Amino acid sequence: MTTLEHHDYDVIIIGAGGAGMRAAIEAKERGLRVALICKSLLGKAHTVMAEGGVAAAMGNVYEEDNWKVHFRDTMRGGKMLNHWRMAQLHAQESPDRVQELEKWGALFDRTKDGKILQRDFGGHRYARLAHVGDRTGLELIRTLQQKAVSLDIDVFMECKVVRLLTGDDGSVTGAVAYWRPTGEFVTFAAKAVVLATGGVGKSWKFTSNSWEGTGDGHAVALWAGAELIDMECVQFHPTGMVWPLSVRGILVTEGVRGDGGVLKNSEGERFMFNYIADMFKAETADSEAEADRWYDDHTAGRRPPELLPRDEVARSINSEVKAGRGSPHGGVFLDIASRRSAEVIRRRLPSMYHQFMELAGVDITQEAMEVGPTCHYIMGGVRVEPDNGATSVPGLFAAGEVSGGMHGSNRLGGNSLSDLLVFGRRAGMGAADFAEGRAGDVPKLEESLIRHYIDEALEPFTRDEGENPYDLQHDLQEMMQTNVGIIRTGPELDEALEKLEVLKERVNNISVKGGRAYNPGWNLATDLPAMLTVSTCVALGARERKESRGGQTREDFPKADPELGKINFVSRQPAGGGFNEEIKISPEPLPEMPDELKALLEEAPK
Amino acid sequence: MSDVVMHVWRGDSNGGDFEEYTLPAQEGEVVLDVIHRIQATEAPDLACRWNCKAGKCGSCSAEINGKPRLLCMTRMDQLPEGEPVTVTPMRAFPIIRDLVSDVSYNYEMARKVPAFLPPPRPEDGYRMSQIDVERGQEFRKCIECFMCQNVCHVIRDHEENKGKFAGPRLFIRYAELEMHPLDTNDRRDLVRDKAGLGMCNITKCCTEVCPEHIKITDNAIIPLKERVVDADFDPVAWLGRKILRRTKRTPQEASVQPE
Ligand SMILES: Cc1cc2nc3c(=O)[nH]c(=O)nc-3n(C[C@H](O)[C@H](O)[C@H](O)COP(=O)(O)OP(=O)(O)OC[C@H]3O[C@@H](n4cnc5c(N)ncnc54)[C@H](O)[C@@H]3O)c2cc1C
Ligand code: SF4
Ligand code: SF4
Ligand code: FES
């Protein structure tokens, strides 16, 4: 083999969504050598797709809002499985992070007096989401991208990391990656590594996630000895498109409901009124009239049930469809046409208007949309120290969707974009501190291990007769959708775990055609080990957590178990693991919340 | 439903040819769906970029029947029925493989834009009115699909112009900064001298292809051209037009990146 391309850095950041870019900016501003690595072109990460907004208790629309209310909403939305310290930091720091974006050129929609406008979203007591129409993610990613470019950060785009490297002492030393355009491998030695690789949704059939959502970061972290927590907590967003089939799963922003859209069944009934859980009764309207008053003035009525947290709404839609009251293509109706003027809809929700017009031939200013749950977000992820994003592997940090703890068992809308900013920055600081404190120059990499990982990635080329990676991906997605979907049962999860073992065998028999340069079949073959590892963690966690809580719904255990509400399920592998090796899962107590924060939760809602 | 016939360009920088694929038609599909079905069956190594599948990320730009389009937003039932659909990569950029082209030129030109530079943030935050942010917001809708760059004849037909011409995507970036209520950098000499604004002869081809319907020529290029001309005669008039402007910078200062 010829010599490999190699780079030395103080900090490498894997992933260029909001979290990765924010981390890179932080580390670069400390004067360190920083590289930003991503699988797609710069600016195309999932973050660009975020629609509705970024949650921050700035109080621009409702003065009553403050971090304490945001903290409470986040904890309740997460069904108390959140790491309290993350929820606290997030609520306290997100206003500063949003305002900082303005300093870097972002142009949010404005209030009448020229401040940043905030919109309503599910689970947030006050209008709290800073936004730009329904393309907030684009604004966020472009602002960070332009800031990163102005700092002259080195960017490696269309470069996929296949493995992390660790040293004898277990600390991280770098990563092995390949360039997608050429298929050539490249190694990075780094004093610290930040994972910001986003989510895992591509393992389900109906998903809002792109091809990138294969859980690479979750998997490489686990293989390197880091811990994953609560992987069973997967968010199914209540409103994905259901028709045409080819766009099934594509997201319809919650902003539609925040701006007045309502859910109806085939009988024209606003069915959400029938599904208000006890926990939310006190703060949810019990009549249409009251709910409708609330849109104009939050003190004139309680919030509409359409804006309950996502897990509640998704389950309700599922029940309506099961009861035979669904729409023609197996969803329910989301109606804003009869409730807001065409002009308002087009101004507030331009990309939704465009998306339905172009893809479904539906004019949302005239007709209701058909929507149903779609796999959207993973709350579980790499276990981190709240203050600096450190994982249990020295030198390895994580932020954004790949990390776990912040959102508990269910994430509130808008809380991801703010999470990226708050914890992206903190992980950037953590990594910079670590890099500065690490003695000597960049760590030495172990040659033989690098060769081994490269051979592993190239293996599919060595088989002439074997399976098409797309067939395997298809079978995995079907299986996860059926067995580890929105509603789960013990026997189905047992079966899922058996089937995952069979799929893992099949990975060892994949063969790919063609060369290494920009070969999507091969690229997918290198994604599959991560998808299988992550899917196994989800299924294991779902089997162990014998209760229903947020993004984990067990038909055989329909209630939340207060004892399990104090437990994280932690997945582990010995360092140097891989998708073929066993994953161990164990229950561990959540960190204890200080009394002064507990008091905030007990306060009665206004 | 009947079959669809696709003529997809396959090859790399050394050349290539069209490959024909015939598949059963499916209701409601976009061109990208058909490409994905080809990948999943006959040609797993068919190279193509995509991410969002909803016109939001600007990854899937290509030419369909010779016209620049987003693969994910072009419905099969809107193309002439019964005729083969031709899919080729964007023409103005070097080819990597199949439908994927090397768009690094655009990223290089973006690196040359001097950063946004606001005045210090007041205690209670910046104030801007909705009407003032809307001008910039139009340009910030850009999803960086680079199709406007692809159709602009200044670079499509003249490779040699690439070093000195930023292109419509970046003209809207200059315009956005220029019209930003808080910006204090003056990039007018830069946009004229180094970004090649003068080479644009307002053919409007860029505006026609923009999937975000940004009025690139009318709302960005023409006003920029006017301002650049103004700058030669009457800097005071220009100064007055900027809201909240504090200090004017020289182009040399403007090209220095702020912290
Ligand atoms: C359609 C949609 C709408 C949404 N709307 C909202 C909203 O309104 N509000 C909100 O708060 N949240 C929203 N979300 C959720 C939110 O957008 C995501 O959770 C968030 O953007 C994740 O950001 P991230 O930085 O963690 O990762 P991502 O943005 O997913 O970026 C991951 C990065 O990692 C890179 N990467 C992955 N694997 C590798 C590898 N092996 N090697 C190299 N690079 C790799 C990718 O290329 C990418 O650059 C939405 C999500 C979707 C899909
Ligand atoms: S109007 Fe100018 S920038 Fe746009 S395509 Fe024509 S020459 Fe190029
Ligand atoms: S201006 Fe329009 S055509 Fe040009 S890159 Fe942006 S979105 Fe694409
Ligand atoms: S895939 Fe994102 S614009 Fe087409």
Side-chain angles (χ1 to χ4, degrees), chain A residues 241 243-244 256 333-347 349-370, chain B residues 75:
Chain A
M241 292 177 80
W243 192 88
V256 175
F333 295 103
L334 173 59
D335 172 27
I336 190 161
S338 74
R339 299 178 48 86
R340 296 289 180 264
S341 74
E343 192 257 318
V344 167
I345 298 171
R346 272 198 296 265
R347 180 163 50 80
L349 303 161
S351 77
M352 283 304 106
Y353 174 75
H354 195 63
Q355 179 175 317
F356 272 88
M357 202 61 145
E358 307 274 320
L359 296 176
V362 168
D363 179 351
I364 67 166
T365 68
Q366 303 298 321
E367 289 172 71
M369 299 161 244
E370 273 188 73
Chain B
R75 281 173 66 131

Side-chain angles (χ1 to χ4, degrees), chain A residues 191-205:
Chain A
K191 293 182 177 176
V193 176
V194 179
L195 283 174
T197 49
V200 309
K202 197 61 194 166
S203 294
W204 281 261
K205 187 176 176 192

Side-chain angles (χ1 to χ4, degrees), chain A residues 52-224:
Chain A
V54 38
M58 296 184 286
N60 289 354
V61 175
Y62 286 86
E63 267 179 20
E64 300 90 325
D65 200 12
N66 58 51
W67 76 264
K68 294 172 183 165
V69 192
H70 194 180
F71 170 77
R72 172 187 175 276
D73 291 349
T74 300
M75 291 297 303
R76 282 167 62 92
K79 308 282 150 63
M80 311 301 283
L81 208 59
N82 323 49
H83 192 310
W84 63 267
R85 176 68 180 157
M86 293 182 90
Q88 179 191 25
L89 288 171
H90 169 260
Q92 288 174 332
E93 295 180 1
S94 46
D96 284 348
R97 297 286 79 74
V98 169
Q99 274 147 6
E100 174 177 74
L101 290 179
E102 250 188 354
K103 210 169 76 188
W104 298 342
L107 286 173
F108 291 103
D109 288 349
R110 317 304 297 183
T111 62
K112 284 205 174 61
D113 55 354
K115 295 185 191 165
I116 296 174
L117 180 61
Q118 302 186 267
R119 74 153 43 113
D120 283 303
F121 242 53
H124 292 282
R125 198 193 306 174
Y126 297 111
R128 188 177 283 149
L129 271 71
H131 60 277
V132 186
D134 53 4
R135 56 160 191 85
T136 314
L138 173 63
E139 189 66 17
L140 192 127
I141 204 165
R142 203 64 84 228
T143 303
L144 293 173
Q145 177 181 345
Q146 284 160 351
K147 177 69 182 171
V149 163
S150 78
L151 293 173
D152 218 11
I153 292 170
D154 293 349
V155 182
F156 294 76
M157 27 180 153
E158 303 202 301
C159 185
K160 176 184 155 105
V161 170
V162 289
R163 282 283 193 160
L164 294 176
L165 296 164
T166 48
D168 293 337
D169 60 354
S171 68
V172 77
T173 53
V176 182
Y178 65 81
W179 289 103
R180 295 175 63 229
T182 60
E184 297 297 328
F185 283 83
V186 44
T187 53
F188 297 89
K191 293 182 177 176
V193 176
V194 179
L195 283 174
T197 49
V200 309
K202 197 61 194 166
S203 294
W204 281 261
K205 187 176 176 192
F206 302 128
T207 176
S208 66
N209 289 194
S210 81
W211 70 272
E212 291 200 297
T214 50
D216 297 6
H218 291 84
V220 295
L222 184 78
W223 298 336

Side-chain angles (χ1 to χ4, degrees), chain A residues 120 290-298 301-304 307:
Chain A
D120 283 303
E290 180 185 3
D292 286 349
R293 281 199 301 275
W294 174 89
Y295 287 104
D296 298 322
D297 178 0
H298 291 9
R302 290 168 296 174
R303 43 194 309 114
L307 289 176

Side-chain angles (χ1 to χ4, degrees), chain A residues 479-493:
Chain A
M479 191 283 287
M480 289 302 281
Q481 190 74 33
T482 313
N483 288 49
V484 198
I486 179 166
I487 312 282
R488 303 160 180 175
T489 68
E492 280 173 355
L493 292 166

